[in-house]
């Protein structure tokens, strides 16, 4: 009986550790309500949404059609997924135009705890511009706007200086965040206005904006 009680206590103690894995649902955009058939179909991605009046894209290897939203080959370039068979695509600079991705976390953040944040980005091969990497904003409310311009929030995970030029390899965006408590939403995109967005011309492509693929978003409790 004593051995049984010990094992039960051990099992209960381990449950919170196991449960604290990645808090981001559908973190590599694999699960969907249907394959993309054209542009501006990010709404097909389960558990994620488009919080503004803009139009992020969904790329998946299940795409079949003439418009080019497959993986690895698509209208914006050629890139295999960092994980699985899918990724999202957003504009980070096109004058004032911006695109964003949003999801509700599987659990709200705990006050005072430190979280490790990671996601991967890649500049599309046909981009006309490169810019700073997209940033991540934590909130305890869903961001909503009908605007197609820059959201006026202060992201907690960012690199406001270094421009991401790589069109071949996935670039890791990472940081640590100490929670205020009850943050339950994340929004990814460029929260800097034109005057504060570092960007550079990279080609004469017809895909004029700075445009990035996004894949494998991870938020987990930092281990002691």
């Amino acid at each position: 009986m004593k051995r049984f009680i010990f094992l039960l206590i051990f099992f209960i103690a381990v449950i919170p550790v196991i449960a604290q894995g990645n808090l981001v649902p559908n973190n590599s955009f694999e699960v969907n309500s249907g394959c993309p058939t054209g542009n501006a179909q990010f709404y097909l991605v389960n558990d994620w949404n488009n919080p503004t009046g803009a139009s992020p894209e969904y790329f998946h290897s299940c795409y079949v059609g003439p418009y080019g939203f497959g993986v690895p080959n698509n209208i914006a370039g050629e890139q295999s997924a960092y994980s699985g068979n899918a990724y999202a695509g957003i504009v980070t600079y096109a004058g004032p135009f911006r695109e964003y991705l949003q999801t509700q976390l599987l659990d709200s953040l705990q006050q005072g705890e430190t979280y490790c944040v990671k996601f991967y980005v890649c500049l599309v091969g046909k981009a006309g511009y490169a810019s700073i990497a997209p940033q991540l904003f934590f909130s305890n409310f869903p961001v909503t706007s009908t605007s197609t311009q820059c959201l006026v929030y202060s992201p907690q995970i960012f690199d406001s200086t270094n421009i991401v030029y790589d069109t071949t390899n996935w670039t890791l965006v990472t940081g640590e965040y100490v929670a205020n408590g009850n943050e339950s939403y994340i929004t990814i995109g460029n929260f800097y206005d034109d005057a504060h967005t570092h960007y550079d011309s990279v080609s004469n492509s017809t895909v004029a904006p700075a445009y990035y693929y996004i894949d494998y978003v991870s938020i987990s409790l930092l281990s002691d």
Side-chain angles (χ1 to χ4, degrees):
M1 179 62 70
K2 290 181 180 179
R3 184 171 183 272
F4 173 76
I5 293 173
F6 171 77
L7 290 175
L8 180 61
I9 293 173
F10 176 79
F11 179 72
I12 293 173
V14 168
I15 288 176
V17 177
I18 294 174
Q20 290 181 10
N22 191 356
L23 295 175
V24 181
N26 195 14
N27 73 307
S28 57
F29 313 110
E30 302 298 317
V31 185
N32 57 55
S33 60
C35 293
T37 59
N39 69 330
Q41 293 188 334
F42 187 71
Y43 60 84
L44 294 170
V45 181
N46 289 14
D47 302 308
W48 287 80
N49 67 81
N50 168 20
T52 72
S55 52
E57 268 70 50
Y58 182 42
F59 300 90
H60 198 290
S61 61
C62 67
Y63 167 82
V64 177
Y67 301 110
F69 291 89
V71 173
N73 298 304
N74 51 65
I75 194 171
E78 180 179 353
Q79 179 63 38
S80 297
Y82 178 83
S83 174
N85 301 293
Y87 42 72
I90 61 171
V91 172
T92 58
Y93 170 77
F97 185 83
R98 302 283 189 273
E99 292 178 335
Y100 299 87
L101 315 174
Q102 180 175 245
T103 189
Q104 183 174 9
L105 300 176
L106 295 172
D107 196 4
S108 57
L109 304 190
Q110 303 170 40
Q111 183 179 16
E113 294 288 356
T114 302
Y115 293 83
C116 179
V117 181
K118 297 179 180 179
F119 59 97
Y120 290 83
V121 304
C122 184
L123 180 67
V124 302
K126 296 181 181 179
Y129 290 88
S131 77
I132 54 173
Q135 306 97 51
L136 186 144
F137 173 62
F138 285 101
S139 61
N140 57 9
F141 56 88
V143 170
T144 57
S145 174
T146 58
S147 174
T148 61
Q149 299 188 10
C150 183
L151 290 174
V152 185
Y153 295 105
S154 298
Q156 297 92 344
I157 305 299
F158 62 91
D159 181 343
S160 61
T161 303
N162 295 311
I163 295 174
V164 177
Y165 290 98
D166 203 331
T167 60
T168 302
N169 304 294
W170 287 93
T171 297
L172 173 64
V173 178
T174 187
E176 295 180 3
Y177 175 65
V178 179
N180 293 318
N182 296 319
E183 295 94 327
S184 53
Y185 292 87
I186 58 170
T187 306
I188 297 174
N190 181 14
F191 293 87
Y192 293 96
D193 61 22
D194 290 358
H196 296 91
T197 295
H198 290 255
Y199 64 91
D200 189 20
S201 177
V202 293
S203 77
N204 294 316
S205 169
T206 55
V207 182
Y211 190 93
Y212 287 85
Y213 301 128
I214 312 288
D215 200 5
Y216 198 79
V217 186
S218 174
I219 296 171
S220 57
L221 191 62
L222 190 66
S223 301
D224 293 335

